[in-house]
């Protein structure tokens, strides 16, 4: 007998271009949500198709490729049909400017970024390696007799 998962029936639109946004969508998919990943054709920060973690972060999701500069109406329809929208404001297009005011009204927007929406580093990008260093995680790994070592998989 199949067991209903916690997020069964929840529709998630993954617009975020950061690897961590893909990880967020993957976790929601594993919890039962229906996740549609939008590959933004021509956008420089979109995770490359041949990225080492692409297959891992695409598992369990549907995908569509959209040229966001010319297909804003299609994007609006996808947002409208979703319950949750995953973004990453520090690398994504300016969604409010592109899709119009109120583009996310009534939606849960999960904005995945390195430093959040406020504070001295807000809006800046960082690699997983940099976040591991800044949070002190890198200092808790490896052998005490050698310099700190990063965790090889993207965890932060």
């Amino acid at each position: 007998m199949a067991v209903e998962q916690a997020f069964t029936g929840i529709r998630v639109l993954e617009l975020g271009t950061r690897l961590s946004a893909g990880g967020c969508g993957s976790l929601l998919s594993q919890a039962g949500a229906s996740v549609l990943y939008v590959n933004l054709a021509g956008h420089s920060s979109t995770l490359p198709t041949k990225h080492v973690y692409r297959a891992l972060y695409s598992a369990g999701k549907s995908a569509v490729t959209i040229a966001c500069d010319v297909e804003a109406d299609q994007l609006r329809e996808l947002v409208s049909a979703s319950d949750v929208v995953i973004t990453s404001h520090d690398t994504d297009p300016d969604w409010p400017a592109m899709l119009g005011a109120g583009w996310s009204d009534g939606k849960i927007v999960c904005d995945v970024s390195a430093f959040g929406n406020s504070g001295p580093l807000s809006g800046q990008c960082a690699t997983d390696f940099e976040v591991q260093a800044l949070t002190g995680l890198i200092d808790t790994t490896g052998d005490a007799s050698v310099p700190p070592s990063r965790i090889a998989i993207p965890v932060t």
Side-chain angles (χ1 to χ4, degrees):
M1 166 173 39
V3 176
E4 188 170 303
Q5 294 179 292
F7 292 145
T8 298
I10 302 295
R11 296 165 306 205
V12 177
L13 182 65
E14 184 185 313
L15 290 176
T17 56
R18 295 183 64 81
L19 186 60
S20 51
C24 178
S26 291
L27 290 172
L28 292 172
S29 174
Q30 291 171 32
S34 173
V35 180
L36 176 63
Y37 166 71
V38 176
N39 181 35
L40 302 172
H43 192 267
S44 62
S45 67
T46 296
L47 191 61
T49 304
K50 295 185 181 188
H51 190 281
V52 66
Y53 295 108
R54 167 52 87 196
L56 174 66
Y57 287 153
S58 296
K61 301 177 190 175
S62 299
V64 62
T65 298
I66 293 178
C68 61
D69 55 340
V70 296
E71 300 181 73
D73 287 340
Q74 186 178 2
L75 276 171
R76 277 191 216 62
E77 288 176 23
L78 292 173
V79 170
S80 178
S82 301
D83 302 305
V84 177
V85 180
I86 302 171
T87 65
S88 44
H89 82 274
D90 51 359
T91 56
D92 288 355
D94 182 355
W95 297 118
M98 183 177 298
L99 301 176
W103 72 275
S104 62
D105 288 350
K107 308 296 173 199
I108 296 170
V109 177
C110 180
D111 185 8
V112 182
S113 62
F115 300 108
N117 292 322
S118 63
L121 298 176
S122 68
Q124 293 187 35
C125 294
T127 64
D128 186 72
F129 178 69
E130 292 168 322
V131 174
Q132 287 183 39
L134 287 167
T135 62
L137 178 64
I138 199 170
D139 199 39
T140 65
T141 61
D143 188 312
S145 65
V146 296
S149 58
R150 73 183 184 103
I151 297 172
I153 60 170
V155 295
T156 59

